[in-house]
Amino acid sequence: MSSRPNFRLVRWLTIGSDVVLVNLAFFCAYVVRYQLEWIRPVTFYEPYVDYLPQQGLLTLLIIGAFAQTRVWTRRRGEFIIDEIGRAAYASAAAIAVMVMATFFLQPVPFSRLLLVWAYLFLVLFIAMARLLRRLVLSVLYQRGVGVEHVLVVGSGEVGRSVIRTLLARPELGYRAVGYLTDGFSQNHLGSGRIPHLGEHTDLVRVLRERPEVGTVFISLPARMHEQSARLTRQAHQHGRQTLIVPDLFELSLSRVAFANMAGLPVFSVRDLRLSRVSMLLKRVLDLLIILLLLPLGLLLTALAAILIRLDSPGPIFFVQTRIGKDGRPFQMVKFRSMVQDAEARKAGLLELNDATGPIFKIKKDPRLTRAGRLIRRLSLDELPQFYNVLRGEMSLVGPRPPLPEEVAQYQPWHMQRLGVKGGITGLWQVSGRSDLTFDEQCLLDIYYIENWSVLFDVRIMIQTIPFMLFGRGAY
């Protein structure tokens, strides 16, 4: 049988903590109303013990409202603001019922302002608890604790969309053990950590060989409707949950906008590019961050330049042709971290390549200088690229700009990562850096483009800091 994380335990812990938080919120509201006397003073002091029946009633109402609105139902991938919003709405409904009940019962004592404070404290405590729970689960998932192993059936654009979502959102608690091809798509999804386990017809065999698989994602093309139904039945017969990802002309659902036109359901397809407004916001964010980091950047640049000059002969900077947005080449600037004739030695080191796909990377590259190893480990060799950002050729966050010879080896779906400006850091850099396979890097780059927002960029920048300090995955 498949091993699944104990979501029931998490749910009961959440229910228990919410009950505690309801009572804590009521107590804090009493302190604020009768001890601190915020907003307006009290005319008659009421002891806390006299409010215990109302506190118990409110607790029961909150439990009922949360159960009725399915606040405690697990929704993978739900945004934190939506989860808190559902709890706030249910709490408001319970408070409203409480106010109506007190209007008819006329209990003594009674304070509407106390209920307002109780609501505000409850929403605050619930939000903090949900954030803490997500943080704890995220740490556990990253360590492999409680993750649910999944199998992806389908290797077309829909299958790749599933894979890149699983890679980009580890907080969902899913880990792909492999994928099955659909027999039509020519491109394979993975190479390395997400292995190809066979064709879709091999589902039963794979489920028998992989008892740890708990969920099967069915992401076959629309023309394979009958096969999807058959695979769903097979997965259920073997005790696995199935999640079917619809194929809308082999488009990622994040690119599809649904609308209602006079009762007629229609959808439009967004281009895999940022809008002009988004590009403007991204550009403004880049310039603001560079302005903020300018003093520290100049100091680190001076230190790195001195180290390079004292360590080995040759220029301080290394200029290389890279491919930017829409396939346009530009000259990317870096600090030189290798010996002068590094490019000439490359041909003799091809057999030592540790990377997959068209990328050339060596973990212990013999061409690195002593200063080069240090500045690469701390990612200081990337500092001169602030110049490329100021020129508008790059962004602070985005897919890593590839070499022309790498682009020449791209498969058609790889080209989607060139839809935005290249970046100094990016989603895959904070998801494993050089430890990821090339296909995984591309999947994460495409996910980033499809789901871009200002907050997404800020989050990636913040996550980049510990990677720079500890040099994890950098070589």
Side-chain angles (χ1 to χ4, degrees):
M1 284 297 295
S2 61
S3 60
R4 298 182 181 178
N6 195 345
F7 295 133
R8 182 174 298 179
L9 175 61
V10 174
R11 183 170 183 265
W12 280 111
L13 288 175
T14 302
I15 294 174
S17 66
D18 284 353
V19 171
V20 172
L21 292 177
V22 171
N23 290 272
L24 179 61
F26 195 94
F27 173 76
C28 291
Y30 175 84
V31 171
V32 168
R33 181 70 188 100
Y34 286 98
Q35 302 294 334
L36 302 180
E37 299 186 32
W38 286 2
I39 297 183
R40 59 188 240 191
V42 295
T43 55
F44 296 98
Y45 177 80
E46 301 289 350
Y48 177 67
V49 67
D50 290 348
Y51 270 108
L52 289 179
Q54 295 183 45
Q55 180 176 324
L57 176 60
L58 180 61
T59 301
L60 293 175
L61 290 174
I62 291 290
I63 292 174
F66 278 24
Q68 182 67 30
T69 55
R70 302 172 67 86
V71 168
W72 293 313
T73 300
R74 178 179 173 83
R75 292 174 170 87
R76 288 185 186 263
E78 182 180 35
F79 290 107
I80 183 64
I81 189 66
D82 294 328
E83 184 178 6
I84 296 173
R86 287 190 295 114
Y89 172 80
S91 300
I95 293 290
V97 173
M98 183 77 174
V99 171
M100 288 188 292
T102 54
F103 178 79
F104 290 105
L105 298 177
Q106 294 293 318
V108 178
F110 173 66
S111 171
R112 291 186 178 86
L113 188 55
L114 185 146
L115 290 178
V116 172
W117 280 118
Y119 173 74
L120 295 177
F121 276 116
L122 179 58
V123 173
L124 174 62
F125 293 160
I126 290 290
M128 294 172 61
R130 295 300 188 270
L131 287 170
L132 179 61
R133 186 188 68 181
R134 290 195 175 212
L135 178 61
V136 172
L137 287 177
S138 178
V139 172
L140 292 176
Y141 289 154
Q142 290 177 3
R143 297 183 178 182
V145 179
V147 296
E148 183 167 0
H149 295 90
V150 302
L151 176 69
V152 179
V153 181
S155 54
E157 178 56 36
V158 183
R160 283 195 294 272
S161 180
V162 173
I163 290 291
R164 58 178 172 255
T165 300
L166 299 182
L167 289 172
R169 301 285 302 278
E171 71 274 11
L172 297 178
Y174 287 128
R175 177 173 296 175
V177 302
Y179 70 95
L180 303 178
T181 53
D182 51 41
F184 289 96
S185 305
Q186 298 299 317
N187 302 321
H188 282 191
L189 298 178
S191 53
R193 298 190 309 173
I194 306 178
H196 173 218
L197 301 179
E199 299 293 325
H200 68 280
T201 53
D202 299 320
L203 176 63
V204 173
R205 173 185 62 81
V206 173
L207 292 180
R208 288 173 178 169
E209 295 176 353
R210 302 270 183 160
E212 72 274 15
V213 172
T215 300
V216 179
F217 281 89
I218 307 294
S219 52
L220 297 176
R223 58 182 176 272
M224 300 182 67
H225 172 74
E226 294 183 1
Q227 291 89 333
S228 296
R230 175 175 54 81
L231 294 174
T232 300
R233 289 194 299 270
Q234 291 177 345
H236 284 166
Q237 289 170 359
H238 286 78
R240 268 50 166 215
Q241 180 187 14
T242 58
L243 297 175
I244 301 176
V245 184
D247 171 24
L248 296 175
F249 306 110
E250 297 202 348
L251 295 172
S252 170
L253 290 180
S254 61
R255 296 176 58 191
V256 179
F258 295 90
N260 185 326
M261 187 179 68
L264 180 67
V266 297
F267 66 87
S268 59
V269 181
R270 296 188 295 105
D271 188 13
L272 190 60
R273 299 169 187 269
L274 302 185
S275 66
R276 291 184 179 181
V277 174
S278 297
M279 288 190 292
L280 177 61
L281 290 175
K282 189 172 177 61
R283 180 65 174 162
V284 170
L285 178 64
D286 286 343
L287 296 178
L288 287 176
I289 296 297
I290 288 180
L291 182 62
L292 180 66
L293 298 179
L294 188 59
L296 178 61
L298 291 175
L299 176 61
L300 294 176
T301 296
L303 292 175
I306 294 173
L307 283 175
I308 295 170
R309 175 60 69 191
L310 295 177
D311 182 58
S312 62
I316 294 176
F317 299 105
F318 175 69
V319 181
Q320 191 176 45
T321 300
R322 294 291 181 114
I323 303 300
K325 183 176 181 293
D326 298 328
R328 291 191 294 267
F330 69 97
Q331 300 300 307
M332 190 179 78
V333 186
K334 299 179 65 175
F335 276 129
R336 181 178 60 86
S337 59
M338 295 186 177
V339 295
Q340 277 187 280
D341 59 342
E343 290 298 309
R345 296 188 190 181
K346 181 177 178 180
L349 299 173
L350 293 178
E351 60 182 17
L352 301 178
N353 186 19
D354 292 311
T356 61
I359 300 177
F360 179 76
K361 284 278 187 178
I362 303 176
K363 289 185 177 179
K364 296 182 179 180
D365 200 316
R367 300 171 298 169
L368 286 173
T369 63
R370 289 175 299 177
R373 292 185 188 278
L374 176 62
I375 65 174
R376 274 206 178 189
R377 186 164 186 80
L378 298 176
S379 299
L380 297 180
D381 58 324
E382 315 287 358
L383 280 175
Q385 290 163 38
F386 279 13
Y387 170 74
N388 293 113
V389 176
L390 290 173
R391 285 173 55 90
E393 298 165 333
M394 292 179 60
S395 177
L396 290 178
V397 182
R400 196 71 185 127
L403 294 166
E405 56 266 29
E406 295 173 355
V407 176
Q409 302 177 56
Y410 276 10
Q411 296 180 22
W413 71 273
H414 292 154
M415 300 297 293
Q416 297 178 74
R417 69 190 300 268
L418 301 179
V420 297
K421 293 178 183 177
I424 298 178
T425 186
L427 182 57
W428 67 258
Q429 284 93 328
V430 299
S431 303
R433 302 185 79 175
S434 299
D435 297 328
L436 296 173
T437 67
F438 174 70
D439 280 346
E440 289 171 341
Q441 293 174 11
C442 288
L443 291 169
L444 289 173
D445 284 337
I446 297 170
Y447 180 91
Y448 165 78
I449 298 172
E450 291 179 338
N451 297 273
W452 179 87
S453 69
V454 171
L455 291 179
F456 202 0
D457 270 8
V458 172
R459 192 192 87 182
I460 291 175
M461 292 181 196
I462 294 174
Q463 289 179 319
T464 300
I465 296 174
F467 277 84
M468 292 177 58
L469 295 177
F470 299 106
R472 183 153 54 99
Y475 58 87

